[in-house]
Amino acid sequence: AKHPNDEADLPEEDCKPPAKRPRRKAAIKSEKLIAGMAEDDDDVKKPPPKRPRRNKNKAALKSEEPAEDDDASDQKNNSKKRSSKERSAPIPVDAMVNVMEFLPPRSLYNIALTCKSLREMVTTKMVVHSALIHGGHAKKTMEELYNMMKNRSIHVPSPLRLLRLANGKRCEFCVNKSVNSLYNGLNIGAFSCWDCLAKGDDPLTKAWKTSWARYWRNPVYQKILNHPRVAFRDKSKGKFLWIQDRMDAHGEKFGPIVCWEDIDAMAECADGKNATAAAKAASSVAANHASVAANYVAGRLAEANALSNIEWIDRYLTDTLGAPPVEEYSEFIEAFADITDRARRIAREKENIKRDKRVKKQENRRAATDKFLADVTALIDEPFREKAVERSSSSYKTFVTPFVEDLMSPYLRAVSSIKKNTSTELAKEINTFLRSLDELLAMNFLSDDDAFE
């Protein structure tokens, strides 16, 4: 069954869409107004067109220009290439070396880490000069190294290791404790803290006790330990020696040449036994020709004379322990000796500059203080001006009056805290207090009629 409202059952007039709603008068007026404004705008000048892009403009200009000759274009291209090469030309090696010689140790270390070619330019002389001239912990480290290098008791450090020692801030073994420079008297040539030196599971040094019988019975041990190329740290428990040879992360051997176990090996070698036998023989011969009282002294003198030749120790260090030759130490020693006088002169000049700045700062501070006190004094009332600002004989910043001292002392200690109206406020407080005190001392509040008062 169809729905009664179906389109097929409706008449033809009812199937047409509904008529449009008539427009309001306000909308018609607004359209006419907009049309009138558009007609008035036709007389106004239109904005200029947008500028074309730069590359398109260049292409258009090139197309309008007359064609150049082939020789002229080639010459222009060659000049462009030549100018680009000149701009990107690297700094000459000699100039770079001259620049690096004036850098402080930290900047020199940063340049050495830049690339391999710059790292190879760093020399021992460059590092020593930089450390001694710029001073600080780097200078102290080089001075400690100089004593060991002069005695030839440690392995010769490379320029990069010298840079690491000059810029070191922490222990190179535990990397925990702060270490500013090589400790004085350690004689190990390494950046170590006290804990890593003699404590822990793997200490760096071990005590050679002088109370052992083999030490004081055999004079060769004393001669070996007193040799300048044997580095040790002298303590009450004994002489602390380097336990074993060590290498850093780059495979470079560092530290003292003679280790703890090498002392016995040196004494037991053929030269050591010969020296011991010669010393004992000389001691017995001297004892036979001396009186009983001078027996011990004569024996010791004979031993010392027999052991005066210590060339066998140097020979053992070179042949058996592989000690560096003398030539390898000369570069560091010569560089240190060449720059020492200049470094001292520069240090004196820096100290003079610092002293001049300090004196000038004190003078400026004194001038500002005197000006402040003069301003305050001028604003204090005349009757009690002299007593209020009377100063102590011990210091120009101290006042006799305690009240004035309490008011003035904070500003005299910190002159920078003085403001524009500080002197006026202080003078006002001082005047108010002294006026009230003057009225109190005058006793005008007492009556003459009352006998008690």
Side-chain angles (χ1 to χ4, degrees), residues 34 41 51 85 98 106 156 187 208 277 299 348 367 370 373:
I34 292 171
D41 291 340
R51 185 178 179 181
K85 287 182 180 180
N98 293 333
R106 176 60 62 179
V156 180
N187 297 326
W208 180 279
R348 286 195 299 269
D370 293 341
L373 294 176

Side-chain angles (χ1 to χ4, degrees), residues 28-45:
I28 296 172
K29 287 182 179 180
S30 63
E31 289 182 359
K32 290 181 180 180
L33 183 62
I34 292 171
M37 292 173 64
E39 292 177 358
D40 296 338
D41 291 340
D42 291 340
D43 299 335
V44 180
K45 293 182 180 180

Side-chain angles (χ1 to χ4, degrees), residues 10-16:
L10 294 175
E12 187 176 352
E13 295 178 358
D14 296 336
C15 293
K16 293 180 180 180

